[in-house]
Amino acid sequence: MKTIAAACLPLLFVSLLPAQNAQQRGRQIIDGALAALGGDKFLAMEDRVESGRAYSFYRERLSGLAIATIYTRYTERPQEGAEELGIRERQAFGKDEYSAVLFTGDAAYEITFRGARPLEEDRLERYRDSTRQNIFYILRQRLQEPGMLFEWRGSDIVDNQPVEIVDITDAENRVVTVYFNRTSKLPIRQVYTRRDPKTRYRDEELTLYSKYRDVDGVMWPFAIQRERNGEKIYQIYSDTVAINKGLPDSLFTLPANIKILGDKK
């Protein structure tokens, strides 16, 4: 028995070695991407303001266009297993920001001159999923989360760019595949699947990042496009991006006297 066990050890070592190397290579690519995005300056980013034009699509046809300003604030990194996100976000529309969608971390509202209406639960869950799986949120908030694995899947040419492909898997076994430009080391696309709670079908969520610019030492994409099951659903082209502006709490909280509206009928 000892002889058989001893003979099996080299085989076990060989079988484990590729997986170990793939994880080591994956972590190297992640570390390279973090450095390319700004390193400590990226990690120290407290808030961000993106202003530009936002487009929504239905069945590949333009269904909405608006001037958009997205205010983002990072909060403390969530504890393991916490439902609340470590981020607050306000998506405001129009030159005078006549309407907005507010994500407070544990709730979300559509805000107009009529008041604030709680967002439907499925839209809130989709936002939570997409945020947790967003490569920039992962790098900023989740890198030290227990159970995170980074596995290199190989090299390829995607959209005429040489890329390194990494699977990022969390403790809940959720996987997002990220493609990093081999030269710049910046993420150019990511894809993950989620189960639609209504239809029970799996949706493939694809996000493309391009037109990176330096924003006070942080590289940020000024063009972002999202697709679902192969169909384009959203684009934003930022004219300006600013970081660490000391955004006030009022941007991310409901006014005390605002009217809370009922569900849409």
Side-chain angles (χ1 to χ4, degrees), residues 51 68 111 159 224 242:
S51 300
I111 302 173
D159 297 333
I224 300 173

Side-chain angles (χ1 to χ4, degrees), residues 44 66 111 119 142 173 188 200 202 216 219 222 228 236 265:
I111 302 173
L119 212 62
R142 302 188 65 193
N173 208 34
I188 64 166
R200 307 306 297 170
R202 289 190 176 274
D216 293 333
M219 295 298 291
F222 276 56
R228 182 173 300 135
I236 183 168
K265 295 183 179 180

Side-chain angles (χ1 to χ4, degrees), residues 58-244:
Y58 179 71
R59 293 184 177 176
E60 293 289 313
R61 294 187 177 183
L62 183 66
S63 61
L65 162 64
I67 301 298
T69 303
I70 301 176
Y71 302 92
T72 302
R73 173 192 280 175
Y74 294 99
T75 61
E76 290 187 7
R77 291 174 176 83
Q79 297 296 317
E80 183 180 359
E83 279 294 317
E84 186 172 335
L85 297 171
I87 199 171
R88 304 290 181 269
E89 186 172 284
R90 184 186 188 95
Q91 302 172 1
F93 303 100
K95 289 184 178 180
D96 58 356
E97 302 188 7
Y98 59 86
S99 67
V101 178
L102 174 64
F103 298 95
T104 65
D106 58 355
Y109 302 89
E110 290 180 319
I111 302 173
T112 66
F113 69 93
R114 294 185 177 89
R117 188 186 309 276
L119 212 62
E120 297 93 333
E121 187 61 27
D122 61 331
R123 287 185 60 189
L124 177 56
E125 281 305 310
R126 187 178 290 277
Y127 172 79
R128 286 172 174 158
D129 284 346
S130 64
T131 299
R132 288 193 185 97
Q133 301 295 80
N134 180 277
I135 181 57
F136 299 99
Y137 183 80
I138 290 172
L139 293 174
R140 176 61 175 79
Q141 297 291 77
R142 302 188 65 193
L143 270 188
Q144 306 307 319
E145 191 175 291
M148 294 291 283
L149 295 176
F150 309 94
E151 187 170 5
W152 179 62
R153 286 186 49 192
S155 305
D156 205 344
I157 303 294
V158 176
D159 297 333
N160 296 318
Q161 299 182 61
V163 297
E164 302 288 354
I165 308 169
V166 177
D167 274 350
I168 303 175
T169 307
D170 66 12
E172 300 295 323
N173 208 34
R174 293 172 295 207
V175 181
V176 55
T177 301
V178 187
Y179 298 73
F180 298 89
N181 182 283
R182 195 180 306 161
T183 302
S184 70
K185 304 185 186 305
L186 298 169
I188 64 166
R189 65 161 49 202
Q190 66 168 76
V191 61
Y192 72 95
T193 59
R194 72 183 296 272
R195 187 180 296 277
D196 188 292
K198 291 183 177 179
T199 65
R200 307 306 297 170
Y201 290 119
R202 289 190 176 274
D203 291 332
E204 182 180 84
E205 306 279 346
L206 169 69
T207 307
L208 307 174
Y209 306 105
S210 59
K211 300 187 183 302
Y212 280 88
R213 297 181 190 173
D214 188 304
V215 182
D216 293 333
V218 173
M219 295 298 291
W220 195 259
F222 276 56
I224 300 173
Q225 176 175 308
R226 296 193 184 104
E227 298 179 8
R228 182 173 300 135
N229 300 327
E231 293 188 357
K232 182 165 53 179
I233 59 173
Y234 174 82
Q235 282 179 321
I236 183 168
Y237 295 99
S238 296
D239 297 317
T240 62
V241 177
I243 64 172
N244 298 335

